Amino acid sequence: MFDSDAPHSEAPRSEARDPDALFGLEQPAAEGVGFAELARLPLAELMSPDWADALAPVEGKLRDVLDVLAAEVAEGHLLLPSPSNVLRAFRQPLAGVRVLIVGQDPYPTPGHAVGLSFAVDGATRPIPRSLANIYKELNADLGLPPRVHGDLSRWSAQGVLLLNRVLTVRAGAAASHRNKGWAAVTTAAIAAVVNRRSADGTPAPLVVILWGKDAASVTPLLGSAPVIASAHPSPLSASRGFYGSRPFSRANNLLLEQGDGTVDWELPPLP
C-alpha cells in the first residue's frame, strides 16, 4: 500500500555536522546529485551517524539498490523522489525516534514524493487525498485544524519517523520498485528502531503506527513495541476503520505511559 491515494498501498540532534556536508542535517541536500554518486559516498555523508552505524550491515545492499536506480536513470526513466531526498528519513538521529509511521511506496506523481512517507512538498496543491484524510482524523482526534500543505517535517523533527517500506518509484508507476532490494534496507531500519535500549537496558520509548494491510506486514519485526493499527487513510479504505481510530491521541498516551512526553501533532498554517 503506497502512501498515495489508493491502497495496494526535532528530536535533538545527536552531534554537530559539517554544514557543507552533502547530506548535513542543518540544510537540505544539494540538488543535482545522482544515484551513481550516492552509491559512492560514505554512509555518514548520507544519513545521521547513528543511522550509518545501524545500517552498516546492509550497506552493500543499499549500494546495490542505488546502482540499479542509476542504471534506470541512464535508460531514461524518471525516478521519485529526487536522489537528494531518497534517504531523507534517516537524516534525523535514530536515537531520537519516538513514533514510527510506516508507508509503502513514494507517491508516483512527479513533484509529490519528498522522502518522508505520506508527506509532500509544502508548495504542492492540492495535497494527496490520503493526506487530507489523515488531517481529517487529526482534527477529529485532537481538534487540530487541517492544513492546505503537506509538509510534515515538524513531525519528523519531534522524532516521528515517516518511513516508506520502499524508498523509490518510477514516475507514474506505483509499486515499480517493490523488488529492487529496498525491503532489506528498511527491514534493517525498522529492526534498529525496535531494538534500541535505554540507559537502564529497557526498550527505548516507541510507538508504531500501521495504516493498512501492507504496513501491517511489518508486525513480525516489531517485537513488544506498542502498535496502533487501522485501515489505510486512502479514500478507498478510510471509512473502513481509519476514521475514528484516533492514532494521534493514542500514540501520545502510549508515549506518556513510557515516560517520554508527547508529540505536538499541530502543523504550522504554512510551511
Side-chain angles (χ1 to χ4, degrees):
M1 184 175 303
F2 56 94
D3 56 29
S4 100
D5 297 323
H8 77 267
S9 126
E10 185 143 4
R13 295 185 177 93
S14 59
E15 63 180 71
R17 295 292 302 276
D18 178 357
D20 296 323
L22 180 63
F23 281 78
L25 299 178
E26 301 292 342
Q27 61 184 24
E31 294 300 323
V33 175
F35 290 109
E37 183 176 356
L38 295 189
R40 297 191 299 268
L41 289 172
L43 285 186
E45 292 187 28
L46 300 177
M47 58 191 67
S48 74
D50 56 356
W51 271 118
D53 290 341
L55 296 182
V58 292
E59 178 178 357
K61 294 179 179 179
L62 171 58
R63 297 192 186 283
D64 288 344
V65 177
L66 294 174
D67 285 337
V68 168
L69 301 180
E72 287 201 14
V73 171
E75 293 170 357
H77 297 290
L78 174 62
L79 306 186
L80 307 173
S82 64
S84 60
N85 274 332
V86 166
L87 299 173
R88 181 179 175 184
F90 303 129
R91 291 185 206 158
Q92 293 299 121
L94 169 60
V97 175
R98 308 162 67 202
V99 178
L100 168 62
I101 299 180
V102 180
Q104 190 56 43
D105 301 294
Y107 295 113
T109 303
H112 280 197
V114 293
L116 302 177
S117 62
F118 298 102
V120 292
D121 184 86
T124 297
R125 304 287 189 277
I127 62 173
R129 290 172 292 172
S130 292
L131 182 55
N133 288 341
I134 290 171
Y135 287 172
K136 288 179 183 177
E137 181 61 19
L138 180 61
N139 176 253
D141 187 2
L142 295 176
L144 299 178
R147 299 307 188 191
V148 298
H149 68 86
D151 182 352
L152 304 182
S153 57
R154 189 168 189 271
W155 293 357
S156 180
Q158 295 180 77
V160 178
L161 177 59
L162 299 163
L163 182 67
N164 278 321
R165 196 73 165 96
V166 175
L167 300 186
T168 56
V169 69
R170 285 188 188 179
S176 50
H177 284 175
R178 287 289 186 91
N179 298 311
K180 302 298 183 182
W182 281 124
V185 176
T186 55
T187 292
I190 293 169
V193 171
V194 171
N195 291 328
R196 293 169 307 148
R197 291 293 181 268
S198 299
D200 62 1
T202 59
L206 177 67
V207 176
V208 182
I209 297 177
L210 304 177
W211 289 329
K213 292 181 179 178
D214 282 352
S217 69
V218 309
T219 300
L221 304 175
L222 302 178
S224 61
V227 175
I228 298 169
S230 74
H232 192 272
S234 160
L236 298 179
S237 58
S239 61
R240 301 173 187 168
F242 175 73
Y243 292 142
S245 62
R246 305 183 68 86
F248 308 101
S249 62
R250 290 168 65 193
N252 277 350
N253 287 338
L254 287 167
L255 287 173
L256 285 171
E257 289 176 8
Q258 297 173 73
D260 198 43
T262 61
V263 173
D264 181 356
W265 294 100
E266 185 169 10
L267 296 167
L270 293 173

